[in-house]
Amino acid sequence: MLSQGQNEAEWLPQVLPQHVAIIMDGNGRWAKNRGKLRMSGHKAGAKAVRKTVRFAAKHHLKALTLYAFSSENWSRPAQEVTALMELFIWALESEVKSLHKNNVRLRVIGDTSGFNKKIQDRIAKAEILTANNSGLTLNIAANYGGRWDVVHGVKQLAEQVKKGVLQPEDITEDSLNSQLCLSDLPAVDLVIRTGGEYRISNFLIWQVAYAEFYFSPVLWPDFDEQEFQGALDAFSQRERRFGGVVSNES
């Protein structure tokens, strides 16, 4: 039985997530397994992105956030970084019209000032073109790090304190959250990581506080609609408590 005054609906599990975040891991290993260069894995991974976005839109998810390039990825070999930047530009140029046609809103989150002007211009044009779309919100995390996100948010609050518009004692979780990436979207419900690793790798460390996690051994280029459906099926079986208790324990 629920305690007196408690809303029964609060304890019903969510059937499908509103916001899915994916750590796309395994491009390099996928290429190595086939005796190919790492870049071929990234190109194959781009095709998997297309399938994933299509699936998310078809199932009416509100938001999909993809970890494309972390702030730590700059330490990779220069040739690979350059190739990734070229692939990023290609994707922005070739996919945006299709996204717009399908009512998808595209946003890039992260420290975009770290990119060259050409990429920054492409990002701005893509975001402006799709800004008023009302379907799936597709967030591409590029030059993004969870710690960077939190530090950046704290700096924004510090500026408000410096200007006298905010007092330190008035800083709350909500005020900090409002300065972070994705603050205007539903909280991340489900995090999927491919490639068989079991860590979040500095991805959305604030935003996934109450998310469910699904780890898949499948390398990212092989992630398809069936794998995505498996993650959603697993999510639908989870009992989300958010620190509370379930009805049969009350």
Side-chain angles (χ1 to χ4, degrees), residues 78-123:
Q79 184 178 6
E80 182 178 356
V81 171
T82 299
L84 283 170
M85 294 303 102
E86 292 175 352
L87 181 60
F88 192 20
I89 292 173
W90 172 83
L92 287 170
E93 292 178 340
S94 65
E95 300 295 327
V96 170
K97 289 184 179 179
S98 176
L99 294 175
H100 183 49
K101 181 180 179 180
N102 288 282
N103 199 30
V104 175
R105 179 174 63 150
L106 175 68
R107 297 196 309 186
V108 177
I109 63 170
D111 185 8
T112 57
S113 66
F115 296 124
N116 62 43
K117 188 176 185 304
K118 183 177 182 180
I119 292 179
Q120 291 184 48
D121 289 344
R122 293 293 190 281
I123 290 172

Side-chain angles (χ1 to χ4, degrees), residues 180-238:
L180 303 183
C181 296
L182 310 181
S183 62
D184 61 326
L185 293 173
V188 176
D189 300 299
L190 173 64
V191 177
I192 300 171
R193 177 163 188 154
T194 62
E197 302 290 352
Y198 296 85
R199 54 180 178 269
I200 62 172
S201 298
N202 197 22
F203 181 48
L204 302 176
I205 57 177
W206 176 279
Q207 294 89 339
V208 303
Y210 280 102
E212 298 294 324
F213 285 78
Y214 181 87
F215 297 100
S216 170
V218 172
L219 301 177
W220 176 248
D222 293 327
F223 188 82
D224 56 16
E225 294 87 348
Q226 184 176 353
E227 287 295 325
F228 203 159
Q229 185 62 58
L232 296 185
D233 291 344
F235 177 87
S236 69
Q237 300 301 314
R238 305 282 177 89

Side-chain angles (χ1 to χ4, degrees), residues 147-164:
R147 291 178 177 177
W148 165 85
D149 196 1
V150 173
V151 170
H152 183 263
V154 169
K155 287 181 178 178
Q156 300 303 308
L157 293 180
E159 284 295 323
Q160 295 181 35
V161 171
K162 184 179 179 180
K163 294 176 182 178

